[in-house]
Amino acid sequence: MKGKGISMKGVDAQLEHIFIDSIGEIELIPNAEEYLVAVCCWGFLNENYTVTTVSEMIRKMKYSYDDSPLVQGMRNLQAFDFSDEELVSLMLMYRHIYEEGLWTLDYGIYSRHSEYEQIQQGKDGLLRRGIIRRIGNSSSSPERRADQKARFLPTPAAFGQLFSDRNDLVSLDALSNQAEIITASSIQRTELFFNEINREDVERLYQLLDPEKFLAIMDRLRAKGRKASASCLLYGAPGTGKTELAKQLSRATGRDIVMADAAKLYSSYHGDTEKNVEELFEAYSYIQCVSSNAPILLFNEADGFLSKRTDLMRQAIDKIENRVQNILLQALEDFEGIFIATTNLADNIDPAFERRFLYKIEFQVPDPQTRAKIWLSKIPDLDRGEAMILAGQYRFSGGQIDNVAKKRDIDEAIYDEKPSLEKMMNYCDNELIATSGNTLMEKIEYGQKFFQHGGAMS
C-alpha cells in the first residue's frame, strides 16, 4: 500500500474557497482532500462557533482539521492505495458510519441523488476488490423498494481492516433486536464439575478461547486456507451444565455473549423470521471483525433451529422452519468467529448441521463421584459421608442438585436450623416426578454401600 498523505500547503485558500462555494454541496466534492476540508467546514457550522473575522474562522477550522476524530479517521484512509473516486466513496461511508452507526446504512441513506452519484463514481473498483458490497433493500414496501437506488456497505473483512481502531463504530446494541447481550463482567464465577470423559474437551475449549491463543490459532487457520472459526455443539441431558459452561467460558476469557433470542427472531410477519436470522449473523460478522476479543454467538436450547427438516410440509410453519434452517446452514458455512449451540434433543438434530460444528461434546448425567463433588460445592457444610449417600442414591444432574440446595437454604432461613439427612432426602424425593418407591432406610443403606465401596457403584 502506498500512502498519499495530506498537504497542509494552501489549506487556508482551500478552506475559504470550499466554505464559500461548496459547503452547501458537500456530497458533490470530487477531490478527497477537498472533501475532508469540507467536512471540517460542515462540523464548524454545526458547532456554532462565534467568530469576528474570516482569519479567525479559518484558524479555528484548521484546528478542527487537525484534531477532529472524524477527520483523522477519514485521513487514515489515504494510507491505502485507492483512487480519488474510491477514497471519496469510502469517506462518504465512513462519515455516515461515524455519525449514525453502521446499521443505518441498511436503510437507504444513499437515497439522496447527489450522494448516490458520488458513491457510484468509485464503487466499481471497490466492489471488484471486495472492499464494499451491494446490499438488499430492507423496506417492506414494494413502492419504496422500487424508488430506492442500490446501496453499499464495506464488507466485514474490509471494515475490520479499514476501521480496526474504531470498534466503537459497531456496538453490541446493534444486535438487541435479535439477541440478548450478556457481558462477561456480569457473570458470576461458578465451579463446574464434569465426568472424566468430558474434562479434556472442556479444558480444550478454555484453551482455545483464551484471547492470545485464539488470535494465533485463527491466524494459523487462515494461513492454511481454512475458515477462522470455532463452533461447538454442547448436547445431552438437561441440567448438566451446558449453558453454564458457555457463560463460564465467557467470564474466563472476557468475551461478551450474544445469545440468540427465539422470541425476537421468530415473527408472524412473512419473511421477517428469515430476515432476523440473517441480520443477526451479519451484525455479528461486523462486530467480531473490529473486536479485539470476539464475542460468543450462543444459540441456547437450539432444538427448534437444529431439528431435522421435513420433506412433507403440511403447514406454512413447516416451510418457514425449513427456510430458517437453510439460512442457518449457509450462515454457519460462511461463519467466522465463535459459535456455541446447546440442545437437549441430540437425536432430533438434522444431519446437515453435524459437520458445521467443529466440536461436539455430549454431557451425560454426572457419575456418582462427580455428583458427590457437586453436592459438596453446593452445600459446603454438608458432611462428606452425607454427600456420598445422596450422590449414591439420587441420579441427579447438577441443576437438580442446585434445586435441592436452594430448598435447604430456604428451610434453614425459615426454621433457623440445618435440615437433617432425612429432610434432605425428602427434598430429593420431591425433586423427582416419580420415585422408585424405596423406603428411607433402603435409600440410606444403598448410599452407605456406595460409600463403603469408595463410590464405585453407579
Side-chain angles (χ1 to χ4, degrees):
M1 296 183 183
K2 62 182 180 182
K4 292 178 179 289
I6 295 179
S7 171
M8 291 299 291
K9 183 179 180 180
V11 74
D12 287 9
Q14 283 184 298
L15 287 169
E16 188 171 9
H17 166 74
I18 294 173
F19 184 81
I20 294 171
D21 296 331
S22 303
I23 192 63
E25 299 291 340
I26 194 169
E27 282 82 12
L28 293 176
I29 297 170
N31 177 272
E33 185 174 341
E34 288 188 348
Y35 180 72
L36 281 176
V37 181
V39 169
C40 291
C41 296
W42 187 255
F44 175 82
L45 290 179
N46 287 341
E47 290 293 334
N48 294 317
Y49 285 115
T50 301
V51 295
T52 57
T53 65
V54 173
S55 61
E56 183 183 1
M57 176 188 73
I58 292 175
R59 180 177 60 81
K60 288 189 176 181
M61 290 167 65
K62 285 172 64 177
Y63 178 81
S64 174
Y65 186 86
D66 285 332
D67 294 344
S68 164
L70 168 60
V71 174
Q72 290 299 319
M74 294 169 69
R75 289 176 69 182
N76 290 339
L77 296 177
Q78 293 196 323
F80 296 90
D81 186 16
F82 296 124
S83 69
D84 229 31
E85 291 81 6
E86 292 169 345
L87 270 174
V88 174
S89 295
L90 281 175
M91 286 177 177
L92 278 164
M93 292 184 184
Y94 189 97
R95 180 165 66 89
H96 282 295
I97 292 171
Y98 183 92
E99 294 175 348
E100 306 292 340
L102 180 64
W103 305 111
T104 59
L105 289 173
D106 195 31
Y107 295 90
I109 66 162
Y110 297 142
S111 58
R112 294 195 297 273
H113 179 75
S114 61
E115 190 171 271
Y116 174 75
E117 295 300 327
Q118 196 74 16
I119 289 287
Q120 288 289 93
Q121 290 184 24
K123 77 171 178 62
D124 290 339
L126 296 175
L127 282 170
R128 199 164 47 245
R129 295 159 65 180
I131 305 299
I132 65 173
R133 64 186 181 90
R134 191 186 304 270
I135 61 174
N137 195 306
S138 61
S139 174
S140 59
S141 166
E143 293 78 12
R144 288 186 63 192
R145 285 200 299 269
D147 289 342
Q148 289 181 342
K149 298 179 182 294
R151 291 153 298 154
F152 307 91
L153 276 178
T155 60
F159 188 85
Q161 184 178 8
L162 297 175
F163 309 116
S164 59
D165 59 338
R166 293 303 313 280
N167 57 3
D168 59 308
L169 292 181
V170 190
S171 168
L172 285 173
D173 292 338
L175 296 159
S176 60
N177 289 333
Q178 296 91 16
E180 176 188 355
I181 308 303
I182 304 174
T183 60
S185 60
S186 70
I187 299 172
Q188 294 185 344
R189 183 183 182 277
T190 299
E191 189 173 10
L192 299 177
F193 299 91
F194 298 103
N195 293 340
E196 186 174 358
I197 193 173
N198 296 132
R199 290 170 196 164
E200 183 179 350
D201 291 331
V202 169
E203 178 59 26
R204 182 183 293 108
L205 290 181
Y206 277 99
Q207 294 294 323
L208 171 61
L209 299 191
D210 175 82
E212 291 186 8
K213 291 181 180 178
F214 182 79
L215 292 176
I217 292 170
M218 294 303 106
D219 286 343
R220 178 176 293 190
L221 290 176
R222 291 189 189 96
K224 292 180 176 291
R226 306 184 192 280
K227 285 288 183 184
S229 64
S231 55
C232 181
L233 176 66
L234 308 178
Y235 68 98
T240 51
K242 300 182 294 296
T243 303
E244 191 58 42
L245 173 58
K247 291 182 177 180
Q248 292 305 310
L249 285 167
S250 163
R251 187 201 62 80
T253 61
R255 302 180 186 277
D256 296 332
I257 292 178
V258 177
M259 186 163 71
D261 188 335
K264 294 180 178 180
L265 289 172
Y266 278 100
S267 171
S268 58
Y269 293 99
H270 178 72
D272 277 5
T273 300
E274 298 93 313
K275 176 173 171 286
N276 288 338
V277 174
E278 288 177 331
E279 287 185 352
L280 173 61
F281 277 89
E282 184 176 74
Y284 177 88
S285 69
Y286 279 94
I287 289 171
Q288 72 91 21
C289 276
V290 296
S291 175
S292 58
N293 199 23
I296 297 170
L297 180 55
L298 172 63
F299 272 56
N300 193 39
E301 298 182 358
D303 314 309
F305 293 103
L306 307 179
S307 58
K308 294 176 181 176
R309 289 166 291 176
T310 177
D311 295 325
L312 183 61
M313 293 177 285
R314 294 188 175 89
Q315 300 179 9
I317 188 65
D318 296 327
K319 296 180 180 179
I320 293 172
E321 289 183 353
N322 274 15
R323 287 199 299 268
V324 169
Q325 288 167 331
N326 288 335
I327 290 170
L328 186 55
L329 283 168
Q330 186 58 51
L332 289 176
E333 186 74 15
D334 301 330
F335 183 80
E336 291 198 359
I338 303 168
F339 182 81
I340 296 177
T342 70
T343 178
N344 300 331
L345 304 175
D347 293 340
N348 199 38
I349 293 177
D350 193 303
F353 281 105
E354 291 184 8
R355 74 172 181 84
R356 263 71 174 190
F357 290 100
L358 181 62
Y359 298 107
K360 294 169 276 287
I361 306 176
E362 180 182 10
F363 292 90
Q364 299 179 349
V365 173
D367 57 37
Q369 295 88 344
T370 304
R371 290 200 295 269
K373 293 177 182 178
I374 297 174
W375 277 112
L376 290 170
S377 72
K378 298 292 184 183
I379 310 175
D381 59 348
L382 190 66
D383 179 83
R384 184 176 181 275
E386 293 176 337
M388 298 289 279
I389 289 173
L390 293 171
Q393 176 58 44
Y394 296 96
R395 194 171 179 266
F396 279 176
S397 68
Q400 290 172 303
I401 294 174
D402 191 51
N403 281 347
V404 173
K406 288 179 182 178
K407 293 175 187 176
R408 182 183 188 274
D409 290 341
I410 290 172
D411 274 9
E412 187 174 354
I414 292 174
Y415 302 110
D416 196 26
E417 63 178 11
K418 293 180 181 180
S420 64
L421 177 61
E422 180 180 352
K423 190 67 175 177
M424 291 283 292
M425 287 187 162
N426 286 336
Y427 298 151
C428 293
D429 290 337
N430 291 333
E431 183 64 21
L432 297 172
I433 294 177
T435 64
S436 63
N438 291 347
T439 66
L440 175 62
M441 286 306 300
E442 287 173 333
K443 293 172 183 176
I444 293 177
E445 288 174 1
Y446 180 93
Q448 288 174 336
K449 289 179 180 177
F450 164 78
F451 177 68
Q452 292 169 358
H453 284 79
M457 301 172 66
S458 61

